Amino acid sequence: MRIIFLALILSLSFSCQRKEGKDSIIRYQEGRQLLTLNNTSLEGERIETPVVGKISLDSISVGQELLVKIFIQDPKLYIANAFVNCEPIENPTVDTTTYKVSGCSTGLVVQNDTIYIGFRPTVIGTKKFPEITVLTRDPSRVFRTFVYSFEYKVVDGISKNISEIKDVE
């Protein structure tokens, strides 16, 4: 009986030590999580950048509002926040209560795990939206960031383009 009890205690001890080893990979500085696991799992394996989905029109007329919805296709990841105009920082951190990333001051609208971007383009042509720093949280409550951007096309007028297509036929 004592041997079984001793074996049980030892197995619990070893399992707790393994868990502490995984959690020790996550580093904190002054109550903020260091964003050192952006490309690494808790087991130390390399992870790929999440696949991003985007819902928007393919093209928009000058002066019309373009609404873009951005989401992550992996249901295990949650978009916690998103920013533009982030400054490069040597050791970026995130406040785990407010979801603010160091070096990032201009936040985007994030609701229900989706980033919403609305704007009115004023210049014709194919444009690239500024880099978006996306803050994610996984089921283990580990925060990571990655950068995403997208292109959009601004045209002179949708009705004019439709008549040009009919003339080609």
Side-chain angles (χ1 to χ4, degrees):
M1 180 80 165
R2 286 184 181 176
I3 295 174
I4 295 172
F5 183 69
L6 184 59
L8 180 63
I9 289 174
L10 286 175
S11 69
L12 284 173
S13 170
F14 287 123
S15 67
C16 289
Q17 287 176 355
R18 284 188 200 134
K19 185 176 184 334
E20 288 173 6
K22 287 182 182 178
D23 288 346
S24 66
I25 291 176
I26 304 170
R27 302 282 185 216
Y28 291 88
Q29 179 181 24
E30 298 174 9
R32 298 173 62 94
Q33 180 191 320
L34 286 167
L35 293 168
T36 54
L37 295 176
N38 286 343
N39 300 318
T40 309
S41 71
L42 289 176
E43 291 77 27
E45 298 172 1
R46 178 164 169 71
I47 58 174
E48 298 297 319
T49 301
V51 177
V52 175
K54 177 178 74 85
I55 300 173
S56 72
L57 297 173
D58 291 336
S59 60
I60 189 78
S61 294
V62 171
Q64 296 293 315
E65 183 175 22
L66 178 61
L67 177 63
V68 181
K69 298 177 186 179
I70 300 169
F71 57 93
I72 298 175
Q73 293 184 352
D74 183 350
K76 294 179 184 174
L77 287 179
Y78 172 79
I79 296 177
N81 213 340
F83 305 90
V84 290
N85 302 327
C86 293
E87 298 175 17
I89 292 194
E90 189 173 327
N91 293 315
T93 62
V94 60
D95 184 318
T96 57
T97 55
T98 63
Y99 303 152
K100 301 287 183 191
V101 174
S102 57
C104 297
S105 58
T106 307
L108 297 173
V109 176
V110 177
Q111 291 181 337
N112 300 325
D113 196 30
T114 303
I115 303 168
Y116 292 87
I117 302 172
F119 59 98
R120 294 181 188 276
T122 58
V123 180
I124 296 171
T126 301
K127 307 295 177 187
K128 185 172 183 177
F129 195 81
E131 287 187 341
I132 302 167
T133 299
V134 181
L135 176 68
T136 64
R137 188 180 73 205
D138 69 12
S140 301
R141 300 191 62 80
V142 175
F143 290 92
R144 293 178 175 87
T145 59
F146 69 93
V147 176
Y148 174 75
S149 188
F150 60 90
E151 290 186 351
Y152 58 97
K153 186 173 183 179
V154 183
V155 296
D156 190 20
I158 298 292
S159 61
K160 180 178 178 184
N161 287 337
I162 291 172
S163 65
E164 289 175 2
I165 291 171
K166 287 181 181 177
D167 290 341
V168 174
E169 295 174 355

